[in-house]
Amino acid sequence: LAKTTQPISMDSYEGQEVNITCSHNNIATNDYITWYQQFPSQGPRFIIQGYKTKVTNEVASLFIPADRKSSTLSLPRVSLSDTAVYYCLVGDNSGNTPLVFGKGTRLSVIA
Amino acid sequence: NAGVTQTPKFQVLKTGQSMTLQCAQDMNHEYMSWYRQDPGMGLRLIHYSVGAGITDQGEVPNGYNVSRSTTEDFPLRLLSAAPSQTSVYFCASSYGTPHASYNEQFFGPGTRLTVL
């Protein structure tokens, strides 16, 4: 099971781009990288997933270098509503081992 | 689609009481899971089910029971509540196994449980 390491917290001003990096040195060949977002008093929700290079959707971008030992979630021009905890998950593709959400990164967006 | 629903939203129990947290999904997902989240902590898997009639233990199963009689419902039972079970409980469902990160999990709104 690939263990992930991400910063405990980050602060940003509105309108800035925020990059949250997750380290996963032991990622396996078939593992995918998935990010979830959790707003206060809500359950987590899926925001983006990737295997390599770059993935972009309407919410965020995910950058994965060639060695796949880390990944960076990029949130463009954040607003107050982006204040949340962001979890990086890397899964055992066999599905035999439960995923670990970890403590995530608490992003606080300041006006 | 209502997605994943959980009841109740809030519950206060006394030590030793029992109760059932309800979870239902209308997406026809085979996989359902229960997590608990303690302050400042990530989510920890309690139990999960890969289909009706099949359940398995997660990371922190002690003190909890589950059963899966239908695809839609996955209740979590606390047999004898303890203060250590004070937490927020989330139910989730997914099309594929929750163990694989490429399978998107859909979470309910949570149940906030306090055990006195």
Side-chain angles (χ1 to χ4, degrees), chain A residues 37-101:
Chain A
Q37 174 189 56
Q38 185 179 23
F39 296 119
S41 300
Q42 295 186 26
R45 70 164 186 148
F46 170 96
I47 51 173
I48 199 165
Q49 181 182 87
Y51 182 80
K52 61 180 179 180
T53 63
K54 176 184 175 182
V55 179
T56 298
N57 62 22
E58 65 278 4
V59 176
S61 294
L62 180 59
F63 299 92
I64 305 167
D67 65 5
R68 303 201 329 122
K69 293 185 183 300
S70 67
S71 58
T72 299
L73 176 73
S74 182
L75 304 172
R77 298 181 59 79
V78 294
S79 64
L80 294 175
S81 62
D82 291 315
T83 293
V85 178
Y86 293 82
Y87 297 95
C88 167
L89 279 75
V90 175
D92 179 346
N93 198 52
S94 71
N96 293 328
T97 306
L99 285 177
V100 175
F101 267 78

Side-chain angles (χ1 to χ4, degrees), chain A residues 32-34 36 38 41-44 46 49 87 89-93 95-99 101-103, chain B residues 35 37 40-43 45 48 57-58 90 97-109 112:
Chain A
Y32 282 73
I33 300 154
T34 308
Y36 281 78
Q38 185 179 23
S41 300
Q42 295 186 26
F46 170 96
Q49 181 182 87
Y87 297 95
L89 279 75
V90 175
D92 179 346
N93 198 52
N96 293 328
T97 306
L99 285 177
F101 267 78
K103 298 182 181 181
Chain B
Y35 293 86
Q37 185 172 39
M41 302 290 289
L43 284 81
L45 183 65
Y48 64 98
Q57 296 181 350
F90 290 101
T97 171
H99 296 348
S101 69
Y102 55 75
N103 288 323
E104 178 181 352
Q105 293 196 69
F106 295 82
F107 285 83
R112 187 173 297 272

